[in-house]
Amino acid sequence: MSDQFDLPSTDRRSLMAGAAAAAAGAFLAPGLAVAASADLAVIRKAAEADKADAIKRLQEWIALPTVAAEGMNVVEGPAYMAKIAKEAGFQTAEIIPTDGVSGVFATLDVGAPRWIGVYFMYDVKQYDPKEWSSPPLEGRLVEKAPFGTVMMGRGATNSKGGQIALLNALRAMRAAGKKPPVNIALICEGEEEIASPHFRQIATHPKVLPVLQKCEGIYVPGPSQDRTTGEVSFTLGAKGPVELQLIVDGSKTGIGPKTDIHSSEKARIDSPIWRLVQALATLTSPDGNTPTLDGFMDKVRPLSAREKELIAQLAQKTNEAALKQAYGNKAWIDNLSYEKSIERLLSQPTINLQGLVGGYTGPGGKSILPSRAEAKLEIRMVPNQTYDDTVRQLREHLDKRGFQDVQINVSGGYDPTETAEDARVVQAALGAYKKMGIPVTLSPRSAGSWPGSLFTQPPVAKPAIHFGVGFGSGAHAPDEFIVIDSANPKVAGYVDATMAQAQFLYALAEMK
């Protein structure tokens, strides 16, 4: 890659979100910007010299997966996280115990006037090696058209690649003889992929909370560019999830058999599987697209005029055909237009059925009446909905319809996240993108989830954002990857992704 991501491009600047980009420029102190430019030049040389070792560090981290859902490496994961934080220059890196998987809290205090918080997740989703074209824990470099050279492995893009890019930036600063321009508080968890059931214990820990409260904000590093245009969709929030299981077990309720029995008994004994299917059918419209959970939709906040404006811009600057090709769908729900589909994506809560388990599914028939059935669901919430309300509404909804025997096991979740467009940390991020000549379109929120509400709500009460460049794909899926050497001049490779993290830290320091 060339150094184009360090130099502003008039063409790309013209694509920036106009008002937001202009505001970002007004927030920057010009004197400090001159010094930052000189620092970044020598830091880039150090990052380029470190590239081979940086790739190896990411491969080594991918080789140690922490899978909270399976209890895999839940001791080794935080220990390794603390180790690589210290190796990157953090003076302290302490393992924070929880009632689940431990977290890590690290600080890098260089005596700067400003602090920034950084959120890492070191856990990853489950993987089946048989579904991958390359071993999921190898981090192999492969050529993948049209992207270029990519690293393929579980956690490559979600989220170890972006996290290592920040640690690489800190290493490059040290090698160049430069101190980070801001102090950094690093908060890490190992349960994000199961909806962060114990993350509050980390964020409110007596050693953690006072440091977070003096931060300018908290951010998540990671690749965020469009695969073709190189444009960044900068999100101002995220939906909130509730991860749960619904279980009907005859051995515990007496409704249905206590063990699998002959299917002829269905004439006089309830079926747990049918009980579960009927209960599930009450949660959404018949097509599964609209939640019908009692009271669930009452507090949904309509999109504001500004949010609709941002979505219209997003629709114009993203590629509908490329998305459909990637997903394999021919149309959106109800044959919505692309813009209306984005409005629905970002404004509507969902109740998604991830999977059903129960009974016999092997060859032939088995003539049984199964004793147990289980469904895995996630509910995604939008602003004004809360985790506590949703869990309560689900229990009341099922009980009202006679499904008291349906057990609800909630494994994790948190409220939706919102950050104001005029927050200083947002303006610093937009200013950094502007300096790099990378076009940005603002988005009201992500349709996905991360536990940012634990930062944006009291007692931390700080803005929370994502920042980064580069491209990755396949999160939660086989053949997950992150771009190392980009074949597209509009999309950053891994050294440029490292430099973007450095650029952001300097932009934070330059804020008036």
Side-chain angles (χ1 to χ4, degrees):
M1 287 291 291
S2 70
D3 60 358
Q4 63 182 317
F5 287 94
D6 289 321
L7 300 175
S9 159
T10 302
D11 289 340
R12 290 179 182 176
R13 255 201 321 267
S14 67
L15 294 174
M16 297 286 286
F27 272 75
L28 301 177
L32 292 173
V34 174
S37 179
D39 284 0
L40 288 166
V42 295
I43 293 169
R44 168 171 277 281
K45 290 182 179 179
E48 289 173 341
D50 184 53
K51 180 181 176 182
D53 287 338
I55 290 172
K56 183 179 179 182
R57 287 192 291 270
L58 179 53
Q59 290 171 324
E60 289 172 348
W61 200 8
I62 286 173
L64 181 66
T66 295
V67 181
E70 299 178 350
M72 181 188 294
N73 294 325
V74 295
V75 174
E76 297 84 350
Y80 193 83
M81 181 70 255
K83 171 181 175 289
I84 62 176
K86 280 196 168 184
E87 289 174 350
F90 285 87
Q91 296 109 333
T92 67
E94 182 175 348
I95 294 176
I96 306 294
T98 75
D99 292 338
V101 181
S102 297
V104 175
F105 182 64
T107 57
L108 177 50
D109 187 349
V110 295
R114 186 165 287 154
W115 281 82
I116 183 66
V118 180
Y119 168 84
F120 277 16
M121 51 174 281
Y122 60 83
D123 63 316
V124 298
K125 274 293 186 186
Q126 302 95 317
Y127 53 89
D128 182 351
K130 297 189 297 294
E131 298 176 344
W132 290 61
S133 65
S134 178
L137 302 185
E138 188 174 310
R140 183 179 295 176
L141 297 181
V142 300
E143 296 302 313
K144 186 174 179 66
F147 306 104
T149 304
V150 308
M151 183 182 295
M152 191 171 288
R154 176 54 86 222
T157 191
N158 182 36
S159 295
K160 293 177 177 179
Q163 294 169 173
I164 282 283
L166 171 60
L167 299 183
N168 291 342
L170 298 177
R171 284 173 171 268
M173 290 178 190
R174 183 173 57 192
K178 304 295 180 182
K179 290 183 179 180
V182 293
N183 309 311
I184 303 173
L186 177 63
I187 181 170
C188 317
E189 69 160 319
E191 295 181 316
E192 197 280 341
E193 295 292 9
I194 56 171
S196 306
H198 303 103
F199 185 55
R200 183 176 294 276
Q201 295 176 18
I202 305 170
T204 58
H205 189 280
K207 292 183 178 180
V208 177
L209 180 59
V211 183
L212 293 181
Q213 288 175 325
K214 63 183 179 181
C215 289
E216 189 70 37
I218 291 88
Y219 90 100
V220 184
S224 60
Q225 287 183 280
D226 182 89
R227 66 182 70 197
T228 54
T229 67
E231 187 153 350
V232 166
S233 176
F234 187 91
T235 58
L236 297 170
K239 291 183 177 180
V242 180
E243 290 274 356
L244 63 104
Q245 298 161 278
L246 296 183
I247 301 171
V248 180
D249 189 335
S251 68
K252 294 182 178 179
T253 66
I255 300 177
K258 64 180 180 180
T259 61
D260 293 356
I261 61 175
H262 195 278
S263 60
S264 63
E265 292 292 340
K266 178 64 195 78
R268 59 181 180 174
I269 297 178
D270 284 312
S271 163
I273 288 184
W274 275 118
R275 293 283 295 169
L276 180 59
V277 168
Q278 297 302 321
L280 290 169
T282 72
L283 300 181
T284 70
S285 57
D287 59 10
N289 294 336
T290 303
T292 54
L293 177 63
D294 290 346
F296 181 63
M297 302 294 287
D298 294 350
K299 293 183 179 180
V300 172
R301 192 186 71 200
L303 291 170
S304 67
R306 175 59 174 159
E307 288 172 331
K308 288 185 177 181
E309 178 186 358
L310 294 177
I311 288 172
Q313 295 173 7
L314 189 63
Q316 291 174 2
K317 295 182 179 181
T318 52
N319 190 325
E320 178 182 16
L323 274 179
K324 286 182 174 178
Q325 181 179 10
Y327 295 154
N329 65 302
K330 295 181 179 180
W332 308 112
I333 283 174
D334 298 329
N335 287 315
L336 293 173
S337 69
Y338 184 45
E339 182 176 329
K340 290 298 181 182
S341 79
I342 300 176
E343 286 189 4
R344 198 180 198 286
L345 177 68
L346 303 186
S347 70
Q348 294 302 296
T350 56
I351 299 179
N352 180 53
L353 180 57
Q354 297 178 352
L356 284 167
V357 180
Y360 176 73
T361 59
K366 197 178 181 184
S367 300
I368 61 168
L369 172 56
S371 61
R372 189 180 191 278
E374 174 182 334
K376 289 186 177 290
L377 298 91
E378 104 269 348
I379 301 173
R380 293 196 188 268
M381 304 166 293
V382 296
N384 290 2
Q385 294 180 305
T386 69
Y387 168 88
D388 289 339
D389 280 350
T390 299
V391 173
R392 174 184 54 79
Q393 288 164 348
L394 179 59
R395 182 71 273 168
E396 292 176 353
H397 175 97
L398 292 174
D399 289 352
K400 181 180 177 181
R401 288 159 178 79
F403 292 110
Q404 293 89 346
D405 56 312
V406 176
Q407 178 184 345
I408 303 173
N409 287 350
V410 178
S411 57
Y414 38 82
D415 292 347
T417 301
E418 289 191 278
T419 289
E421 187 176 342
D422 61 357
R424 286 160 57 93
V425 69
V426 172
Q427 297 304 315
L430 296 178
Y433 284 127
K434 183 176 182 180
K435 283 191 172 185
M436 293 184 288
I438 295 178
V440 176
T441 298
L442 293 175
S443 172
R445 69 188 57 87
S446 166
S449 302
W450 75 287
S453 61
L454 295 174
F455 301 127
T456 58
Q457 296 174 345
V460 179
K462 296 291 181 177
I465 64 168
H466 288 66
F467 179 88
V469 301
F471 180 76
S473 186
H476 298 191
D479 288 354
E480 179 182 352
F481 71 88
I482 191 168
V483 171
I484 300 297
D485 293 313
S486 180
N488 182 350
K490 297 179 181 179
V491 175
Y494 207 49
V495 170
D496 293 298
T498 295
M499 289 307 301
Q501 296 301 319
Q503 182 80 62
F504 178 53
L505 297 181
Y506 275 94
L508 284 165
E510 294 165 12
M511 295 293 288
K512 294 177 183 177

